[in-house]
Amino acid sequence: NAGVTQTPKFQVLKTGQSMTLQCAQDMNHNSMYWYRQDPGMGLRLIYYSASEGTTDKGEVPNGYNVSRLNKREFSLRLESAAPSQTSVYFCASIDFNTEAFFGQGTRLTVV
Amino acid sequence: GENVEQHPSTLSVQEGDSAVIKCTYSDSASNYFPWYKQELGKRPQLIIDIRSNVGEKKDQRIAVTLNKTAKHFSLHITETQPEDSAVYFCAASGQAGTALIFGKGTTLSVSS
């Protein structure tokens, strides 16, 4: 039982490059989330998926796209990376109004 | 949508003192209020949560109180220890399909 698995752990991109962050959970949770964490800004919601087949924008969706591939997997794509997207990204998996389980995080640097 | 404000942003206490972190939320429909602890370089982990039908909940040295009328909730840590040093986040969510929104976090430092 791995919980939430998030890849990669570290990534350096050049401005304008694209990449996809992968997230998978094995807890049969309906909801999955992507957050970014910046110093002094807390955990800001990028996108979430309340159930398979649905996605909704969070607080800071600009520059990102998501895909809920199936119940287990929720990916985050940066189409054209910008330095402002340098951050630590966390995927989380949640059953309705219970504990959120986080992945290990992805430290992304855009140069 | 929901907005969660958290204060203070930093808190320094002496070992053995109590620490209190306060949060307010904007959406009266929110009914679930968890608290997470994040140690340096690690992922956030749940330490305690409370639902809207409860006013207070305790777990050893940690307690959370909720005032739904005023739309605020607080985390209380008693007899603080150096290992309590971390960043603490409050959060709020409501009905099924709504998002879990976090406050900006409080960096707690406990000195011995």
Side-chain angles (χ1 to χ4, degrees), chain B:
Chain B
E2 177 65 274
N3 182 50
V4 178
E5 301 281 343
Q6 182 172 347
H7 299 281
S9 57
T10 60
L11 181 59
S12 295
V13 300
Q14 292 285 323
E15 183 177 1
D17 288 349
S18 295
V20 180
I21 303 170
K22 298 182 178 182
C23 289
T24 60
Y25 61 98
S26 62
D27 188 351
S28 56
S30 290
N31 55 19
Y32 176 64
F33 308 94
W35 286 88
Y36 286 80
K37 176 183 181 182
Q38 185 181 29
E39 296 176 344
L40 191 62
K42 297 192 175 180
R43 72 193 81 184
Q45 292 194 301
L46 181 74
I47 55 172
I48 195 166
D49 58 12
I50 191 167
R51 289 177 171 77
S52 60
N53 58 345
V54 176
E56 183 176 0
K57 184 177 179 180
K58 286 184 178 180
D59 182 3
Q60 300 183 335
R61 296 185 297 109
I62 294 173
V64 58
T65 58
L66 171 65
N67 183 327
K68 282 224 74 179
T69 302
K71 289 192 282 188
H72 68 71
F73 56 113
S74 300
L75 177 71
H76 305 252
I77 306 174
T78 59
E79 300 172 23
T80 54
Q81 301 167 2
E83 52 265 39
D84 294 329
S85 296
V87 180
Y88 291 81
F89 293 99
C90 62
S93 69
Q95 300 171 354
T98 61
L100 181 65
I101 301 298
F102 285 83
K104 287 184 166 51
T106 297
T107 301
L108 174 65
S109 300
V110 181
S111 54
S112 55

Side-chain angles (χ1 to χ4, degrees), chain A residues 2 4 31 33 35 37 40-45 48 50 56 59 90 94 96-105 107, chain B residues 2-3 31-32 36 38 41-46 49 51 87 89 93-105:
Chain A
V4 179
S31 301
Y33 294 67
Y35 294 92
Q37 184 173 25
M41 299 299 290
L43 292 157
R44 292 186 292 172
L45 183 64
Y48 68 105
D56 285 286
E59 304 161 270
F90 284 101
I94 303 170
F96 173 58
N97 279 358
T98 59
E99 180 176 0
F101 290 88
F102 286 83
Q104 63 188 358
R107 187 171 295 275
Chain B
E2 177 65 274
N3 182 50
N31 55 19
Y32 176 64
Y36 286 80
Q38 185 181 29
K42 297 192 175 180
R43 72 193 81 184
Q45 292 194 301
L46 181 74
D49 58 12
R51 289 177 171 77
V87 180
F89 293 99
S93 69
Q95 300 171 354
T98 61
L100 181 65
I101 301 298
F102 285 83
K104 287 184 166 51

